[in-house]
Amino acid sequence: MRAAQGLLDVCKRVQKLAAVTGALMVAAWLPSTALAQALPTLSCSTPNRINTGTDAAGTLVGYNQADPYWQYTPVGSDEANTLVAKSAADWHPATVVVPSGAPWIWQTYPNANWIAVNSNREGYSRTYYRYRFNLDPAVAPADFGLGVHFHVDDLVLAVFVNGVKQDGAVIGGGWTTSDPHYTIPGEFSLSSGWQAGTNEIVVLVQNFSGATWTTPTPIGGLLVRGVSACGGGQITKQFAPNAVQPGGTSNLMVTVTNRTDPQVAVSDVRFTDVLPAPLVLDGAPLSNTCGGTITGASGDGTLALAGGTLPAGTGGTPGTCAVTVPVRWPASASAQCTGAAITNTITPGRAAAGGQFSTAAGQVSAPASASLACTLPMASLQVTVSVAAGSVDLSGERVPFTATCQNPSQSYSGSVVLGAGNTASTALAVPAGSSNCTLAIGALPTAPPGFQWAAAGPAYAQPNPAAVAAGATVPGGIALALLAAPVAVPVGGGPAFWLTLTLLLGLGVWALRRWR
């Protein structure tokens, strides 16, 4: 379309000039005042109240009259490339205009009319169009969504909800390059940013054909029709069970609930669920009451439904449909099994706008999330600390230790208080998948008077818990020793002299006796 934009601009300028010259019309500016009419109230069942060129009852307003709710204001040249919402401006009522004739064909909707800056169907180089409404108090802001179908002369550049630009919201718009030229329909889906009370939508429109920041030219305008983007279906999901071991499976159930009012069957139910790593599908769906086409084979990481049908409710009970599939935490991913839960989310919205759940009647904007945890089988590591110290009583003394388990590497800190028999024990939960556990003593209590610790206690390697079933007890312990402190022998002349003298005298006496 842009490749032929120069030629299109020339055609439009000729047509627009003819429209102005032939009718000899001067721009009829409307008063620069805010609308006195009360703001409309929108809910999931009344999206058509946003339609351009209609009143509160949805009745079309006559041509060349003020739109009751839509307003406009030009974009200043200093804002040319900012693409930000106009938060404070002199807003004017937009004018309901007659669709332009050949050679341009303005497409229309049966329940909406075009609006422009004035009855000459003019627009500035860039024009903001604003629509304000009150959200129905019965509708939670998180559950509200508004879809908009539009035609525009020439392009929609951005859409804002309560001052926040909606990225990726604009799809299509502009003109065809065929002859005769006609406006291409576009649409955007607004599913977030809503608030209780008053809300504001601002649409930024660009007009080519010589318009400036301060002087509008024909032809420019906007045509809007609202459709519900909520109330069609609401998606939820859950895992059962919500925890597995490596190699284990859980059933993932994705449920869609009918939120239409009054309830009618809803077609074209679609969702895409991207499983978080390392989860994969573990076979065909166990059940599917939504119909349509399921994609996703065993070992895949994505489950998708297309073309499903959501039934209407009966007896006041909402209609539902569900898809249940087995998912597996691969045994090869045991290293990622840490006990923490992983969560995956389905984000409502059309796929073309980056969403993962939609229906032909719209959808509630609340995302669907579910969490699955992975836990390793646990064994009990029984730690025993004993002290061999004769009659020394260490009851009440605390002996700290650490237990480090490998594969996965986990550390457990603990301490035991020795009893009257100088022994104590405690238990720690250890993943049975550990290859070994090593115990090590920390700082020992002060040795009793007259005793000293023989050693700090060597590290004690546990037997391999990998083959131990969950709930089993793996024995282990640390043995310590208290030895009596050696008596110090004085070193000096006294004791050594007398010992030597005694020995000499004794030998002499023995020798004399021998010779006699």
Side-chain angles (χ1 to χ4, degrees):
M1 183 177 70
R2 300 229 175 154
Q5 190 63 60
L7 178 58
L8 294 180
D9 287 348
V10 171
C11 293
K12 284 190 66 180
R13 289 173 186 173
V14 172
Q15 192 273 337
K16 292 179 179 181
L17 180 60
V20 176
T21 305
L24 296 177
M25 298 177 66
V26 179
W29 295 99
L30 292 169
S32 176
T33 58
L35 296 179
Q37 199 166 353
L39 296 179
T41 298
L42 264 65
S43 68
C44 289
S45 60
T46 57
N48 60 321
R49 292 183 180 175
I50 195 178
N51 292 10
T52 50
T54 61
D55 59 19
T59 304
L60 293 173
V61 175
Y63 294 138
N64 299 325
Q65 295 186 27
D67 187 291
Y69 305 114
W70 280 90
Q71 302 170 296
Y72 79 89
T73 191
V75 178
S77 59
D78 57 332
E79 303 169 299
N81 298 310
T82 55
L83 294 185
V84 296
K86 198 77 167 180
S87 58
D90 189 13
W91 292 95
H92 311 269
T95 301
V96 180
V97 298
V98 179
S100 176
W104 298 89
I105 299 176
W106 281 21
Q107 301 293 330
T108 60
Y109 297 120
N111 57 348
N113 269 333
W114 282 81
I115 59 173
V117 166
N118 52 42
S119 58
N120 286 345
R121 302 187 296 268
E122 292 183 327
Y124 292 93
S125 177
R126 293 189 181 183
T127 306
Y128 285 118
Y129 289 94
R130 179 175 76 165
Y131 178 82
R132 301 175 71 233
F133 69 94
N134 291 321
L135 182 62
D136 189 326
V139 180
D143 292 342
F144 183 67
L146 183 64
V148 175
H149 297 170
F150 69 90
H151 289 275
V152 65
D153 187 332
D154 287 292
L155 292 174
V156 168
L157 298 179
V159 180
F160 307 86
V161 171
N162 294 322
V164 178
K165 183 176 179 294
Q166 304 299 291
D167 291 334
V170 179
I171 304 172
W175 294 81
T176 68
T177 56
S178 60
D179 193 9
H181 306 298
Y182 59 89
T183 56
I184 300 173
E187 69 178 67
F188 48 83
S189 180
L190 307 176
S191 58
S192 62
W194 303 113
Q195 59 193 19
T198 301
N199 289 264
E200 178 181 272
I201 300 171
V202 174
V203 181
L204 179 56
V205 174
Q206 182 167 10
N207 180 30
F208 299 119
S209 306
T212 68
W213 313 116
T214 57
T215 303
T217 62
I219 297 171
L222 178 66
L223 176 69
V224 165
R225 175 181 67 177
V227 296
S228 178
C230 66
Q234 181 175 6
I235 193 164
T236 56
K237 59 186 298 188
Q238 65 177 354
F239 287 103
N242 58 8
V244 295
Q245 296 178 2
T249 61
S250 175
N251 292 333
L252 170 63
M253 176 183 289
V254 181
T255 303
V256 183
T257 302
N258 195 320
R259 295 302 185 193
T260 57
D261 185 19
Q263 288 221 345
V264 294
V266 177
S267 62
D268 199 25
V269 177
R270 298 173 176 267
F271 69 76
T272 300
D273 193 1
V274 180
L275 301 177
L279 295 182
V280 293
L281 299 177
D282 195 44
L286 301 176
S287 64
N288 173 22
T289 59
C290 295
T293 302
I294 297 284
T295 56
S298 184
D300 291 346
T302 300
L303 171 70
L305 168 71
T309 300
L310 180 60
T314 57
T317 301
T320 62
C321 73
V323 176
T324 302
V325 295
V327 297
R328 181 178 74 256
W329 189 296
S332 59
S334 61
Q336 295 170 260
C337 183
T338 63
I342 57 175
T343 301
N344 71 317
T345 299
I346 298 176
T347 303
R350 290 181 162 230
Q356 297 172 307
F357 165 63
S358 64
T359 76
Q363 54 280 329
V364 175
S365 60
S369 297
S371 298
L372 181 68
C374 180
T375 58
L376 290 170
M378 304 299 288
S380 178
L381 174 63
Q382 191 70 34
V383 179
T384 301
V385 177
S386 60
V387 177
S391 61
V392 177
D393 185 4
L394 292 180
S395 61
E397 292 289 352
R398 185 176 297 274
V399 179
F401 67 91
T402 59
T404 303
C405 299
Q406 305 297 323
N407 190 29
S409 177
Q410 298 187 32
S411 296
Y412 308 86
S413 296
S415 63
V416 294
V417 177
L418 295 173
N422 293 331
T423 61
S425 66
T426 190
L428 294 173
V430 177
S434 303
S435 61
N436 64 76
C437 290
T438 301
L439 304 179
I441 277 291
L444 295 170
T446 303
F451 288 84
Q452 67 181 13
W453 292 105
Y460 180 92
Q462 285 298 121
N464 180 7
V468 178
T473 298
V474 181
I478 300 176
L480 304 174
L482 274 172
L483 300 181
V487 178
V489 178
V491 177
F497 170 75
W498 288 112
L499 177 61
T500 303
L501 180 62
T502 300
L503 289 174
L504 290 175
L505 290 175
L507 289 173
V509 173
W510 183 84
L512 289 173
R513 288 178 179 177
R514 176 69 176 169
W515 283 104
R516 285 183 181 181

